[in-house]
């Protein structure tokens, strides 16, 4: 992508000398070029700032359960004693929605959807969160966010032509959210996140078999529907391939360590 994006930007600059120039928003084009350069050299501190801004906007656009809400109290109880991952302070919130989903960000923000909590036990919810913590620990979420920034910059350049895509990229948040939703981790990243989540739960005195139960529940819900998962659950599945093999891996680890479920 690092080679493709500058090439496209250069092509659009060349076009500015043709008759197409009258349709270009040169200020927008320059802004897009600046974003491309920034997304390739962005520092960890800048990534964290972008993530914090993204989370703030995400919280503003969703219904966040208050401190006294039963969902919040339940989540606080589930995560009692778990405060950081690899030194990164964690903060948890519940989004009030029927979607079945959960996600974590590089700044330690973890958001759990109430729909997920409705269909899973406390241990199963913890299993999903443990896996997401693994992606934070291995910087998978940070790299995914950086890639989303790069793609958002590309979309901004395209928008400079005055096409209908401009309405999609006026909000950087919308562009980033779109690309994060379609991001997929590799098989090794998923396995590493599973292993980290397993060890993390053990370290905090929790039964790591919770991860097995959580993945089994997700698989059962999809199988019961008779169709591919939709909505938030589709996002969980799209970023978590080979779930049957991963369940078997976790089952083998639990058996070897003497954990039952």
């Amino acid at each position: 992508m690092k080679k493709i994006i500058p090439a496209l930007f250069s092509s659009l600059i060349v076009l500015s000398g043709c008759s197409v120039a009258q349709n270009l928003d040169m200020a927008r084009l320059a802004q897009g070029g600046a974003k491309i350069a920034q997304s390739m050299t962005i520092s960890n501190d800048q990534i964290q700032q972008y993530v914090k801004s993204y989370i703030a906007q995400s919280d503003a656009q969703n219904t966040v359960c208050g401190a006294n809400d039963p969902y919040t109290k339940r989540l606080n109880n589930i995560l009692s004693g778990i405060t950081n991952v690899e030194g990164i302070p964690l903060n948890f919130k519940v989004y009030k929605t029927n979607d079945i989903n959960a996600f974590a960000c590089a700044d330690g923000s973890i958001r759990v959807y109430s729909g997920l909590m409705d269909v899973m036990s406390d241990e199963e919810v913890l299993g999903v969160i443990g896996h997401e913590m693994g992606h934070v620990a291995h910087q998978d979420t940070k790299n995914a966010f950086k890639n989303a920034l790069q793609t958002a910059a590309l979309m901004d350049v395209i928008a400079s032509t005055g096409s209908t895509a401009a309405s999609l990229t006026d909000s950087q948040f919308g562009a980033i959210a779109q690309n994060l939703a379609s991001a997929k981790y590799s098989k090794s990243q998923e396995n590493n996140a599973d292993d980290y989540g397993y060890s993390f739960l053990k370290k905090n005195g929790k039964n790591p078999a919770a991860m097995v139960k959580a993945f089994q529940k997700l698989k059962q819900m999809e199988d019961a529907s008779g169709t591919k998962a939709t909505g938030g659950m589709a996002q969980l599945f799209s970023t978590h391939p080979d779930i049957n093999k991963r369940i078997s891996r976790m089952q083998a680890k639990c058996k070897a360590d003497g954990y039952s479920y």
Side-chain angles (χ1 to χ4, degrees):
M1 181 175 288
K2 290 184 179 181
K3 295 182 179 179
I4 295 174
I5 294 177
L8 178 57
F9 182 59
S10 298
S11 298
L12 289 175
I13 290 295
V14 172
L15 285 175
S16 66
C18 306
S19 60
V20 180
Q22 60 184 346
N23 295 322
L24 287 172
D25 179 347
M26 296 306 294
R28 188 67 171 275
L29 186 62
Q31 179 187 23
K35 286 184 178 180
I36 291 173
Q38 183 184 30
S39 69
M40 292 179 179
T41 60
I42 193 166
S43 68
N44 286 338
D45 287 344
Q46 288 173 315
I47 282 284
Q48 295 289 38
Q49 290 174 4
Y50 271 111
V51 172
K52 289 181 184 298
S53 176
Y54 174 82
I55 285 295
Q57 288 178 274
S58 179
D59 288 350
Q61 294 189 13
N62 285 278
T63 301
V64 178
C65 295
N68 294 320
D69 188 284
Y71 283 109
T72 300
K73 290 182 177 180
R74 180 185 169 198
L75 186 63
N76 288 339
N77 183 64
I78 292 172
L79 296 165
S80 177
I82 300 177
T83 59
N84 72 88
V85 53
E86 301 301 315
I88 301 173
L90 297 174
N91 68 89
F92 306 92
K93 290 184 180 179
V94 180
Y95 286 169
K96 193 70 170 289
T97 171
N98 291 329
D99 289 342
I100 300 172
N101 204 1
F103 68 89
C105 285
D107 68 336
S109 296
I110 294 179
R111 300 296 180 261
V112 182
Y113 292 26
S114 60
L116 180 77
M117 298 179 72
D118 286 338
V119 299
M120 289 194 172
S121 68
D122 289 359
E123 285 190 344
E124 290 164 353
V125 171
L126 189 61
V128 172
I129 293 175
H131 172 84
E132 296 303 323
M133 286 180 176
H135 283 306
V136 174
H138 298 142
Q139 300 188 15
D140 298 335
T141 54
K142 185 189 78 173
N143 292 330
F145 196 87
K146 184 175 181 178
N147 290 336
L149 281 179
Q150 290 177 336
T151 305
L154 174 61
M155 292 173 68
D156 209 22
V157 172
I158 294 174
S160 67
T161 63
S163 67
T164 55
S167 62
L168 298 176
T169 57
D170 280 342
S171 168
Q172 187 183 47
F173 169 79
I176 293 173
Q178 177 182 348
N179 289 292
L180 284 176
S182 61
K184 293 184 178 181
Y185 295 122
S186 68
K187 179 179 178 180
S188 62
Q189 286 176 317
E190 293 293 8
N191 285 338
N192 288 338
D194 287 348
D195 291 341
Y196 182 92
Y198 181 94
S199 297
F200 188 87
L201 295 180
K202 282 180 60 177
K203 178 181 176 181
N204 285 278
K206 311 295 183 179
N207 188 342
M211 295 185 68
V212 175
K213 295 173 66 178
F215 293 151
Q216 287 177 329
K217 179 68 70 69
L218 288 170
K219 187 68 170 62
Q220 288 169 359
M221 284 188 286
E222 184 181 42
D223 290 344
S225 70
T227 59
K228 292 297 290 181
T230 59
M233 190 164 68
Q235 184 177 343
L236 279 175
F237 272 101
S238 68
T239 58
H240 297 82
D242 301 315
I243 195 167
N244 285 324
K245 292 181 179 179
R246 290 168 55 221
I247 288 173
S248 295
R249 285 185 73 249
M250 291 295 99
Q251 286 177 323
K253 288 174 72 71
C254 287
K255 183 178 181 180
D257 290 344
Y259 287 100
S260 61
Y261 47 91

